[in-house]
Amino acid sequence: MNDKEILIHLIRHTGFVEAPFYLANKPELAKSLQEAGYTYDDDGFQRFTEKGEKLLNDFYFGNKERTITTLKRLKNLHGNSPYEYKLLCNELNFEDDSRAHYLLVRLEQEQIISVRWKTDEDTIKVTFR
């Protein structure tokens, strides 16, 4: 498994993109991530090690400003209108949308943006706070 694949699995396990306890249904993957030092078993729950947390944080902080700049550019192009989520993924060069979703959630947690997902979940509206 390469770093990108590991990152995607860790992001999915955060519960922001997939259901919480993503690794609980994937014992082989959970074992691989444990052996690689990214997670550990805490009484049946997979938790992130410092190495796993570092990979997630490095990804977030390494892409934070680029994501904010991209979101501002898309806001300038679309105004207050919603736009396709895939457009954001393409602008960030993420073929896997879980990475873009994770960045949006982290930016929301920091109260930098607010995201409204339209009912089809293919369209978003981002507001800066």
Side-chain angles (χ1 to χ4, degrees), residues 3-126:
D3 281 348
K4 181 177 132 185
E5 292 169 327
I6 291 168
L7 175 67
I8 289 168
H9 291 303
L10 294 182
I11 286 171
R12 289 177 177 164
H13 188 61
T14 62
F16 293 145
V17 179
E18 301 277 333
F21 309 113
Y22 167 78
L23 293 175
N25 299 323
K26 300 177 181 327
E28 298 286 323
L29 177 59
K31 184 178 178 185
S32 295
L33 292 172
Q34 279 181 30
E35 290 171 352
Y38 290 97
T39 61
Y40 66 95
D41 188 324
D42 182 16
D43 288 333
F45 296 104
Q46 294 297 314
R47 307 278 189 223
F48 298 119
T49 62
E50 284 183 31
K51 184 178 179 182
E53 289 286 346
K54 182 179 180 340
L55 184 63
L56 288 166
N57 285 327
D58 286 352
F59 171 73
Y60 173 65
F61 290 111
N63 286 284
K64 180 180 176 178
E65 291 305 318
R66 180 173 78 98
T67 303
I68 290 170
T69 301
T70 301
L71 289 169
K72 285 180 178 177
R73 186 174 61 246
L74 289 171
K75 180 139 180 84
N76 286 338
L77 286 172
H78 298 278
N80 287 329
S81 299
Y83 51 87
E84 285 189 42
Y85 176 59
K86 281 291 182 194
L87 180 60
L88 173 63
C89 297
N90 291 339
E91 290 287 320
L92 293 172
N93 291 321
F94 293 148
E95 67 281 354
D96 175 78
D97 64 357
S98 63
R99 290 180 288 172
H101 191 154
Y102 179 73
L103 292 167
L104 290 175
V105 170
R106 292 281 304 258
L107 289 170
E108 267 192 307
Q109 285 180 330
E110 285 192 35
Q111 298 184 353
I112 295 170
I113 63 170
S114 172
V115 179
R116 282 191 26 223
W117 294 86
K118 296 300 179 177
T119 54
D120 59 9
E121 295 217 10
D122 292 332
T123 309
I124 61 172
K125 181 177 179 183
V126 177

